[in-house]
Each structure stands twice: as C-alpha cells, then as structure tokens.
Amino acid sequence: WKQWSGYFAANAYDDFHDPEYHAIRTGAGVIDVSPLYKYDIEGPDALRFVDRVITRNARRCEVGQVLYTAWCDEDGKILQDGCFQRLEENVFRATAAEPTLSWFRMNAEGIDVDIREVSEDYGALAIQGPRSYDILRQISSEDLESLGFFRLARTELGGVPTIVTRTGYTGDLGHELWVASDAAEKLWDVLFDAGEGYGIEAAGLLALDRTRLEAGFPLIDVDFWNAEKTLIDDQKSTPYELNLGWAVHLKKPAFIGKRALAAEKKRGPARSFVGLEV
C-alpha cells in the first residue's frame, strides 16, 4: 500500500506488479485513481477564470472536451499539471494530484465564478489497455466508439451513471470513469464482470508508474515539484523545461506567468527533460 492524499492506494495487488503491467499493455488494467483532487468551476465567468490560470487557450475548449494543461506562478514555474473537463458552457471540472483550491480561489478575486472542492463526491477509475473499449461497449448505454481522444461522454455503465473521458496516464488506449462515490464500488464489479475473458486485471500504482515512464509523462513530486513547495529555485521547472511547451499558448491575451514564459521561449530553456532507454 501507499499513502495518497490521505487514502491507502494499492501499489500492487500481488507479490509483483508485472502481470498488472502486462494487462495494461495487452488486455485491460483497472486503476483506482479516486484520490485525485477534483474541483467544480461554475458561473458566468468560468471560462474567463480557467483561461486566466492555465497555460493553454481555454477558449478553444468545446463542451465535451478535456484539456491537459499546467498552471504556473508569475515567474512561469509550474505549480501543478492536470485536466480540465468542460461539462457545460459555464461548467468545468478540474482534476489535480495535489490540493489547489486556495490558489484557484485567490486568483478568482473579482471574477464571477464559484469554485467548490468535490473530491470526495466522485470516485474515479482508469481502465487502460487495448481491450478497454471492448469491455465498455458491452455495458454502456451510449455508443462510445466515436468518442475522440480527450473527449467526454455521459452514459450508464451497467446502470451506473458515469462520465467517460477518453484519457489516461499510460500511453495506451484508455478511458477514465468518473462516478458518484457511493456507486464506485458497484462500477468496479460491473467492469470485472464484463471484462472476464478480456484479460482484465486490477492494477496498482507501480504498474501505472511503469507505463507512464514508457510514455514519457512527467509525475509531480518525482520528475518535478510544485514551485510553491521547493526549497531552492533550481528545484522549480517551467513547461518548456519539461517538454510541455506545446501546452503553452502565448498568443492568448493574458494568463498567469505569460510574461516570464514569453521571455523564456525567446531565449530558450536552460535545461531539458529527457527519457533514457537502458
């Protein structure tokens, strides 16, 4: 077990995580990511607020779309990364690995928006691997075949109301399932009943870490640190240093850290994040 945001999360469900890793790569692995922090952002200025705090252009985000992004301090140093789901015209749901409510609210001053933490209201399961869609289509009340990458759909899975996002942290075909917390255990059982014969396995954080390393996805508190928590400036990172420059949209009018990031883009980053294949 591992402590994650005040919860016990499984590192592995057996003596070693190899079978769980191979399930993600050849069948389907189900990972409980419920400890993620979740925030609902609602109101007439919801879009204006999101566009102010993230590095990507939120105005390009359509209803039913998900944005992976970072948010930075005024010096362009990353505080966190995470995803923003646009559920309705004026409703977003943000997910993050660490608490960020106070920072969100501080930067919502003077903006007509309501920000609420809903972390314990929703469970989250990631079903990842090449057979993940084959399992979901058996139990979904809606057709998910046309669900695009980083898009979301509302459906029922085995009678459980669920938001399905075509997202994941493994670099493989995958979906993340967002469900009311009191129905999460039922959804887990529904998935494993439907996944019999499709190589489904419960997967822990060690298998998840191995897959995200292969995909080149950075992990907070491992590959980079929240700029608010570092002891020295050299521990801070910018999106350009983590090869996340593609997620920085300098053409949008303004966002926190834009001035510093524009200067860095002009001179080039001081260092670069790379993977080593041994």
Side-chain angles (χ1 to χ4, degrees):
W1 299 95
K2 178 180 181 179
Q3 191 274 350
W4 179 11
S5 301
Y7 295 87
F8 280 126
N11 264 330
Y13 288 88
D14 210 327
D15 294 335
F16 198 58
H17 67 273
D18 261 11
E20 302 166 22
Y21 163 80
H22 288 294
I24 294 172
R25 289 294 185 238
T26 63
V30 180
I31 308 154
D32 185 357
V33 293
S34 299
L36 285 169
Y37 289 89
K38 312 166 193 78
Y39 303 97
D40 279 358
I41 301 164
E42 303 182 41
D45 289 339
L47 176 59
R48 178 184 165 203
F49 165 77
V50 172
D51 206 41
R52 167 180 166 77
V53 297
I54 68 173
T55 59
R56 293 186 70 179
N57 189 345
R59 299 183 185 278
R60 295 182 185 174
C61 183
E62 302 173 350
V63 175
Q65 187 175 348
V66 185
L67 283 184
Y68 167 76
T69 186
W71 47 101
C72 301
D73 62 17
E74 289 287 1
D75 295 325
K77 307 298 185 179
I78 292 181
L79 299 171
Q80 284 205 64
D81 66 337
C83 288
F84 284 74
Q85 305 169 14
R86 193 168 189 181
L87 302 177
E88 300 175 23
E89 191 70 23
N90 294 317
V91 180
F92 289 81
R93 179 167 296 154
T95 58
E98 295 184 348
T100 191
L101 180 63
S102 60
W103 191 82
F104 279 171
R105 285 181 171 170
M106 179 178 68
N107 287 286
E109 188 72 26
I111 300 176
D112 190 1
V113 65
D114 179 52
I115 304 169
R116 295 179 297 112
E117 181 170 351
V118 293
S119 299
E120 295 193 3
D121 295 344
Y122 296 97
L125 298 176
I127 178 168
Q128 304 284 302
R131 306 305 299 273
S132 59
Y133 169 69
D134 295 329
I135 295 170
L136 292 181
R137 70 178 177 181
Q138 298 179 75
I139 55 176
S140 177
S141 61
E142 303 294 328
D143 183 7
L144 301 176
E145 186 173 11
S146 60
L147 185 63
F149 194 43
F150 274 80
R151 296 297 190 276
L152 65 87
R154 297 176 187 269
T155 186
E156 289 189 0
L157 299 177
V160 179
T162 307
I163 293 176
V164 179
T165 58
R166 176 71 171 75
T167 53
Y169 196 46
T170 64
D172 220 308
L173 173 68
H175 304 76
E176 291 177 311
L177 315 177
W178 310 88
V179 59
S181 56
D182 58 1
E185 188 176 346
K186 179 181 178 182
L187 179 59
W188 177 282
D189 292 339
V190 166
L191 287 175
F192 278 85
D193 288 344
E196 190 173 350
Y198 288 91
I200 194 170
E201 294 280 352
L205 298 183
L206 290 173
L208 177 62
D209 200 39
R210 188 165 159 186
T211 54
R212 70 97 190 162
L213 275 169
E214 290 180 343
F217 297 152
L219 176 61
I220 194 168
D221 294 334
V222 176
D223 303 308
F224 72 97
W225 289 265
N226 183 326
E228 289 185 317
K229 296 182 178 181
T230 58
L231 299 176
I232 58 175
D233 284 344
D234 280 349
Q235 290 178 303
K236 300 178 181 181
S237 302
T238 71
Y240 292 114
E241 291 174 341
L242 294 182
N243 293 331
L244 296 178
W246 60 269
V248 178
H249 293 170
L250 293 174
K251 291 184 178 179
K252 71 176 186 176
F255 63 91
I256 298 169
K258 178 182 177 180
R259 185 180 294 109
L261 290 172
E264 184 184 17
K265 175 75 178 294
K266 188 174 182 178
R267 68 176 181 268
R271 54 192 175 185
S272 184
F273 186 66
V274 299
L276 299 179
E277 185 173 338
V278 181

